[in-house]
Amino acid sequence: MSKQNIALITGITGQDGSYLAELLLEKGYDVHGTIRRSSVDYRERIAHLEGKPHFHLHYADLGDSMSILGVISKVRPTEIYNLAAQSHVQVSFDSPEFTADVDAVGVLRILEAVRQLGLKESCRIYQASTSELYGKVEEVPQNENTPFHPYSPYAVAKQYGYWIVKEYRDAYNMYCCNGILFNHESERRGETFVTRKITLAAARIKQGKQKKLFLGNLGSLRDWGYAKDYVECMWLILQHDKPEDFVIATGVQHSVREFCYHAFKRVGIELEFQGEGISEKGIDKATGNVLIEVSADFYRPTDVVNLWGDPTKAKAKLGWNPNKTTFEDLVNLMVDSDMAKVASEGAAEKVRTNLAEYLEKGIVK
Ligand code: NAP
Ligand code: GDD
């Protein structure tokens, strides 16, 4: 009988963690995830997995070595996917120390726990590295040999994570790898990242629940892929015959402005952009209404504006297809999901309104 694959996913409640858990369960893994205690329910993305026989959750925090050591010692994973992070670049300017502790030292805590527990021969480790490492880019497009120039507290912390993985690979012969992932989005993307903020706003504006969308730098360029395709690549990286680092990207670049154009087009609104910089506006061509404005609140002290990945190595060595989901498909599936979500929020609001009325009239006790 072949040995049971046991995966430990840190950050399982996040966008990528939830998709990766689904993928590994389908592949027959025993899937363990770490969660943090919170005063509100934050397990929306994995609620459908709870109660499944091969799905287990454990409390641990990347800032707490003892909890990391405890969970790895208990689970004895054959693969660890370290996805946990303070992942918002703008927030890293407000919470730089927390970001450094979790995104930099947190990686060390995992590597060192595996080493000290004597699991280095049996456990492979994936580290969620990022295209933000290229930061103030020194070449376009970016590949595994492009020099790094991190340009935010988040990127600086992630750069430590990247190098400590390489160090443990060289110093202790551990199987640990960096996936240098470019931006990847989905219906489950956090609502403050720019793509989701746009698709939600397009849906709300279309349904008359929001008047305007305020954004920062509309000219920023990103290589956006679909998170569901990217978690497949995380798994492929750990199945490779030797530990290596890979750039994961689509090889196609678009601006925030273009993302807005396509998202609003999907809901039947054609946008025209007028003006420049802080004065730029996105106008509904049919009505002349201003739907998008630029606000300095969403500018970053230093912004990364030209990310464009070259996935040649992942295609050649892992057989991964970077273009399974096109940019237009990605925008459309996010918008469609938010249109449904916003419509059902309306229904929920209506139920609440009715409930208030029924309570007042004494119909419901
Ligand atoms: P996400 O949705 O923000 O999820 C982050 C996860 O990390 C959540 O489960 C969060 O838990 C957890 N977490 C945060 N702080 C923690 C701590 N101190 N201890 C334990 N867990 C903690 O991020 P994502 O988009 O899925 O990204 C996954 C990883 O890939 C992150 O490391 C991110 O930096 C990296 N990455 C993402 C992209 C992208 O475009 N999505 C690209 C490159 C790299 P709570 O639910 O409790 O907050
Ligand atoms: N969030 C946000 N909100 N970004 C905006 C806005 C806005 O209102 N307006 C313009 N932008 C610009 C940002 O300045 C940035 O240049 C770009 O849109 C993308 O921002 P985010 O969607 O917040 O993503 P990110 O690229 O900073 O970071 C994401 O991708 C990284 C990989 O490159 C995160 O998922 C990171 O965790 C990940 O490492």
Side-chain angles (χ1 to χ4, degrees):
M1 204 181 90
S2 64
K3 80 176 169 47
Q4 176 66 38
N5 288 316
I6 305 167
L8 176 65
I9 305 174
T10 70
I12 200 163
T13 56
Q15 170 188 258
D16 292 4
S18 63
Y19 284 122
L20 182 65
E22 285 167 5
L23 179 80
L24 297 180
L25 284 169
E26 272 167 31
K27 290 187 182 296
Y29 280 63
D30 225 6
V31 174
H32 296 255
T34 66
I35 54 168
R36 300 187 291 167
R37 197 264 158 186
S38 163
S39 65
V40 286
D41 179 29
Y42 58 98
R43 275 142 66 167
E44 194 187 325
R45 294 186 181 108
I46 53 166
H48 60 295
L49 302 177
E50 293 192 42
K52 286 194 186 259
H54 293 284
F55 185 74
H56 319 270
L57 296 175
H58 311 263
Y59 283 105
D61 192 306
L62 243 59
D64 172 358
S65 327
M66 279 187 275
S67 69
I68 297 298
L69 197 73
V71 73
I72 295 176
S73 145
K74 187 167 153 199
V75 171
R76 303 187 81 77
T78 56
E79 293 175 11
I80 296 179
Y81 295 86
N82 181 34
L83 309 185
Q86 190 303 92
S87 73
H88 203 285
V89 174
Q90 189 152 12
V91 171
S92 78
F93 289 95
D94 296 326
S95 294
E97 186 183 345
F98 173 74
T99 305
D101 190 36
V102 175
D103 298 12
V105 187
V107 187
L108 173 70
R109 291 184 180 111
I110 289 184
L111 293 164
E112 196 46 23
V114 169
R115 193 179 78 82
Q116 288 190 20
L117 289 165
L119 299 176
K120 75 183 180 85
E121 306 299 336
S122 57
C123 181
R124 296 181 168 198
I125 304 168
Y126 170 89
Q127 164 59 14
S129 281
T130 166
S131 50
E132 285 290 309
L133 298 181
Y134 300 118
K136 193 175 181 200
V137 299
E138 300 196 2
E139 110 191 347
V140 190
Q142 296 97 32
N143 63 32
E144 290 80 2
N145 301 315
T146 302
F148 295 142
H149 189 145
Y151 214 35
S152 65
Y154 167 80
V156 173
K158 283 280 186 179
Q159 177 141 10
Y160 176 89
Y162 172 91
W163 278 110
I164 201 69
V165 162
K166 276 176 98 72
E167 178 58 22
Y168 271 57
R169 191 157 77 205
D170 292 346
Y172 304 119
N173 207 19
M174 284 170 63
Y175 191 114
C176 40
C177 316
N178 290 289
I180 307 171
L181 270 58
F182 282 63
N183 297 52
H184 44 280
E185 318 295 311
S186 73
E187 310 89 307
R188 298 184 193 168
R189 184 56 143 156
E191 295 178 10
T192 58
F193 295 96
V194 78
T195 55
R196 189 73 201 290
K197 188 171 163 185
I198 296 167
T199 59
L200 257 180
R204 289 201 175 117
I205 289 173
K206 178 68 185 177
Q207 295 182 34
K209 293 175 178 161
Q210 185 174 330
K211 287 209 165 16
K212 250 184 218 173
L213 167 63
F214 291 91
L215 292 170
N217 185 357
L218 297 177
S220 187
L221 296 161
R222 286 291 182 276
D223 178 330
W224 279 297
Y226 187 30
K228 233 176 167 172
D229 300 341
Y230 282 41
V231 298
E232 252 178 68
C233 216
M234 295 177 186
W235 178 76
L236 285 172
I237 289 174
L238 287 197
Q239 313 315 307
H240 192 48
D241 49 10
K242 60 182 202 311
E244 285 184 46
D245 304 326
F246 288 89
V247 160
I248 307 300
T250 67
V252 182
Q253 197 188 42
H254 292 276
S255 65
V256 171
R257 188 182 298 105
E258 284 172 88
F259 196 103
C260 293
Y261 180 83
H262 287 280
F264 279 78
K265 187 169 158 221
R266 183 67 173 178
V267 301
I269 298 173
E270 191 173 0
L271 288 178
E272 186 172 59
F273 286 89
Q274 288 178 9
E276 271 179 35
I278 197 88
S279 310
E280 186 167 354
K281 294 186 188 348
I283 298 167
D284 180 346
K285 243 179 154 177
T287 62
N289 290 339
V290 175
L291 302 184
I292 299 178
E293 284 198 44
V294 175
S295 159
D297 288 346
F298 300 107
Y299 280 172
R300 297 173 182 181
T302 48
D303 197 14
V304 171
V305 294
N306 196 1
L307 292 181
W308 182 11
D310 173 2
T312 305
K313 182 179 173 187
K315 263 203 295 197
K317 290 200 170 182
L318 304 174
W320 182 66
N321 173 10
N323 304 115
K324 202 163 147 188
T325 310
T326 65
F327 173 73
E328 283 79 9
D329 289 344
L330 174 66
V331 177
N332 291 347
L333 68 87
M334 290 177 70
V335 172
D336 292 353
S337 162
D338 279 331
M339 281 296 279
K341 187 173 180 215
V342 170
S344 70
E345 270 171 14
E349 265 163 37
K350 178 128 188 17
V351 170
R352 272 198 300 276
T353 315
N354 289 346
L355 187 64
E357 186 189 322
Y358 296 157
L359 281 168
E360 199 180 308
K361 290 183 179 163
I363 298 169
V364 171
K365 300 272 185 290

